[in-house]
Amino acid sequence: MIEARKCVRCGCMYIADTEVCGQCQKKDGVDLQKLKGFIENQGNEAFTQGELAIATGITDKNLTRFLGYDEFKGICQAEKAIPAGGGIEGQEGVTELV
């Protein structure tokens, strides 16, 4: 039985057996083509998720979802973030984000 679901992209309720509504399936298709095209054109260069978001115009939320797909596993390098306040002397100043 198919149940009502909440679209992970726009938040509207819909009835289907997919993670996004019909309207967002079209948008996902466009974004996925942008992502694939960008990756193909860049060769073996490593990217952070932030760099991919800026280069493709895909939101971080959707990019995180796409990067979880098997075809995109491992294309991003881990981003480094400095904790708020810039770190404390004598403490590790860089935290790895996944």
Side-chain angles (χ1 to χ4, degrees), residues 3-16 18-25 27 61:
E3 298 178 19
R5 303 180 92 169
K6 185 175 179 180
C7 178
V8 297
R9 186 173 177 128
C10 72
C12 76
M13 297 301 291
Y14 67 101
I15 297 176
T18 60
E19 70 177 343
V20 294
C21 67
Q23 293 286 332
C24 289
Q25 283 180 346
K27 294 174 186 176
K61 176 184 172 184

Side-chain angles (χ1 to χ4, degrees), residues 59-91:
T59 64
D60 279 330
K61 176 184 172 184
N62 290 319
L63 198 51
T64 297
R65 190 165 45 91
F66 298 153
L67 294 175
Y69 296 171
D70 287 339
E71 66 184 301
F72 298 116
K73 292 248 184 205
I75 66 160
C76 277
Q77 62 187 13
E79 296 192 44
K80 301 287 183 181
I82 298 174
I88 298 171
E89 190 174 322
Q91 203 177 26

Side-chain angles (χ1 to χ4, degrees), residues 34-50:
K34 281 186 208 174
L35 181 58
K36 288 176 187 177
F38 180 78
I39 292 167
E40 288 171 3
N41 288 331
Q42 299 304 311
N44 292 333
E45 191 174 335
F47 305 100
T48 65
Q49 184 171 334

